[in-house]
Structures are given as structure tokens and as C-alpha cells.
Amino acid sequence: MFWGWARVVGGVGLLAVLLWQVGTGPFLAGVRLIDAPALTAALLIGVLTTVCAAWRWSLVAGGLGVRLPLTTAVAHCYRAVFLNATLPGGVLGDVHRAVRHGRDAGDVSRGIRAVVWERAAGQVVLVAVALVVLAAFPSPVRPYLPVAVALLVAAGLAAVLLARVLPRAGRSRWARGLRTAVADVRAGLLARRTWFGVLVASTVMVAGHLATFLVAARTAGSDAPLSRLLPLTLLALLAMGLPLNIAGFGPREGVAAWVFGAAGLTAAEGIATATVYGGLVLVASLPGAAVLLARRARTPAAGREAASASGC
């Protein structure tokens, strides 16, 4: 409960600071600039990224021993994207699909772990793509890239060493957790039947999100070359991993304002771009609202049929 409120307060605080610094103009301009071609592109890209997300989730869940048909995964992913885009924190939709799938499969623990590991795989691929792009193109963070790479390598080595040092035998909580994590990674992510699909799906998803951000930048009126926009939009995309947002808004707009301004553009342009992106993502997630409504419509109907049967 505390962390849930902390995320909400953090998101509200970030938005308040942005509004204090630049006013409502860039946000309103971003909303007004959204047009039909941008919405169409976002919907099409959204189909691709959602299907890839569902495919990745299905592969990881299957590796962990909890079957998940692709069609079911697509419906759950659309619903999760819609909930993530409309509720505080940006992760409640993923929590919902994890618990729901776990209950349907009869193993809530494995259902939750499947979502955690497939999301973790996506973040690893996103960071890897970010390092390549930020190294290839100029950006405000390029001077700090060697330090960031060194820290990431050190963290990875520390995790590997910790996994080797901690005892795997025994019944302690740490030992059980370590054994489960190692087994999950081997079966769900690194197994021969899963790793390539997880990699391809994650890479396509990153490309799709970046493409949507670039569409948002052009819709917001930015005429900067793609080589200049790509690292800036990627940094804003990385900021979305922070669970401090209100319906998606917060860190994304703050980082976009900073990197666009530091790159010689304007903070207002960065905020407008991030606002357009938020609107495009929301529209692209609307099939998830249809899934949610269809689910609620079926539930009362099922309840009435059960009551009628019991009455007979």
C-alpha cells in the first residue's frame, strides 16, 4: 500500500514540477496536434507490439510449465496495456494478467513469475538496444555512456557471483528463491525452444515503441533528423520503466523535456512529443477496453446461467 501511494505521489509531483516550469501549453499543444494518420500508425504498430508481447509471454510461460495459448495471451496483453495506460503506476495491468493467468493455470506463483521474467527479458533487450543506439548517435548522455556500461557490467558480474556464492542447498528462503530463479531463467528464457523467440519478440517490440515515438515527434512538429531524434526518444522510452506515473504521464515527459532541451531543441518540444506519444499509446490500447468490457459482459451472463441451473 505504501509503495502504491508513493508511486502516485511521485508521478503527481513530477507533473506538478513540469507544469510549474513550462505551463500547460506544451501538453495542450501535444493533444491538439494528434491527427488521424498518427492514430492509424499507432494502432497498426500497437497490433504488432501486442502480438509480440503475447508471443514472448506464451513462450516464457510454456517454458515454466504453465500453458498459455497465443490467442488468450493477446487478449490478456491488450487488456493489460489498456490498464497500464489508464491507471497509476503503469504496471497494474501486468499484475492483473499475471494473477489471472496463474489462477486459470492453477499455479499463481508460476503465473506471476512468467510475467516477471518476460518483462525482465524485455527490459534487458531495451537496455542493450539503448547502449548500441546511444553509442552510435550523439546525445546529451553520450559522455556518461562508458560509466553506465561499466556499472551495468559490474552489476551483472555481481549478480552472477552472488548466485554462485549463495548456497543453493538447504531449506532457507534465500536458497529456495535462488534455486527457483535459476531454474526459471534456464527453462523460461534460455531454453533452446524459447530464447530466440524471446529475443526476436523483444527486439521487434522495442523497434515498434521507438517507431511510435518518432511518429509522435513528427506529429508534434519536430523537423530534427532521425539520427538526432532516435537517441532522444529512446531515453524517454527508458524513463517509462520507472513506476512513477499517472496514466503513463510523469517521468516520460520530464526526461523528454530535459533531453530535447539539452540536445539544442526545446523542452516544450520534448513535452509535446511525449504527450502525443501518450495519446497514441492510449488509442492503440483501446482494443484492451473492448476485451475488458466483453469479459464483464460474459461474467454476469455466466452467473445468471449458474443461478438458473441451481434453481432447477
Side-chain angles (χ1 to χ4, degrees):
M1 179 65 72
F2 170 77
W3 288 114
W5 280 107
R7 288 194 292 266
V8 173
V9 172
V12 171
L14 285 170
L15 287 175
V17 170
L18 285 174
L19 289 171
W20 176 56
Q21 291 288 333
V22 302
T24 60
F27 292 94
L28 296 177
V31 173
R32 287 195 299 265
L33 289 169
I34 297 175
D35 55 17
L39 292 176
T40 302
L43 281 168
L44 294 176
I45 296 172
V47 172
L48 177 62
T49 56
T50 304
V51 170
C52 284
W55 179 33
R56 183 178 69 189
W57 182 24
S58 180
L59 287 173
V60 175
L64 297 187
V66 280
R67 182 176 175 273
L68 179 61
L70 182 59
T71 53
T72 301
V74 170
H76 285 354
C77 281
Y78 257 121
R79 180 170 53 196
V81 170
F82 175 73
L83 293 175
N84 285 345
T86 54
L87 296 178
V91 296
L92 295 180
D94 292 312
V95 173
H96 180 271
R97 69 180 169 102
V99 174
R100 171 69 189 280
H101 173 232
R103 287 176 177 172
D104 290 344
D107 194 330
V108 175
S109 175
R110 288 193 184 187
I112 293 174
R113 279 154 37 208
V115 172
V116 169
W117 287 118
E118 65 95 3
R119 285 296 301 265
Q123 290 300 308
V124 169
V125 172
L126 174 59
V127 171
V129 172
L131 292 176
V132 173
V133 171
L134 294 174
F137 301 103
S139 72
V141 302
R142 196 174 194 179
Y144 309 102
L145 199 59
V147 176
V149 172
L151 290 175
L152 288 173
V153 171
L157 291 176
V160 173
L161 290 175
L162 188 63
R164 289 183 172 274
V165 170
L166 287 177
R168 298 187 187 182
R171 299 181 179 179
S172 70
R173 184 178 179 181
W174 285 104
R176 292 198 307 270
L178 180 61
R179 287 197 299 269
T180 300
V182 171
D184 284 352
V185 171
R186 287 177 175 173
L189 297 180
L190 302 181
R192 183 178 299 178
R193 61 177 295 273
T194 60
W195 74 267
F196 184 72
V198 169
L199 178 62
V200 171
S202 300
T203 303
V204 173
M205 289 176 65
V206 171
H209 295 319
L210 280 175
T212 304
F213 234 125
L214 293 173
V215 169
R218 291 298 188 229
T219 304
S222 176
D223 57 359
L226 291 180
S227 60
R228 193 175 183 187
L229 284 175
L230 189 59
L232 305 183
T233 55
L234 184 54
L235 289 169
L237 190 62
L238 285 170
M240 292 176 58
L242 298 174
L244 300 171
N245 62 73
I246 303 298
F249 291 88
R252 178 182 63 212
E253 285 69 28
V255 170
W258 169 62
V259 295
F260 272 67
L265 303 176
T266 65
E269 185 177 337
I271 293 176
T273 296
T275 302
V276 172
Y277 177 85
L280 296 181
V281 169
L282 178 59
V283 171
S285 73
L286 289 180
V291 173
L292 196 61
L293 291 174
R295 167 69 182 175
R296 289 190 175 185
R298 286 197 301 269
T299 301
R304 288 194 298 270
E305 290 176 3
S308 176
S310 63
C312 294

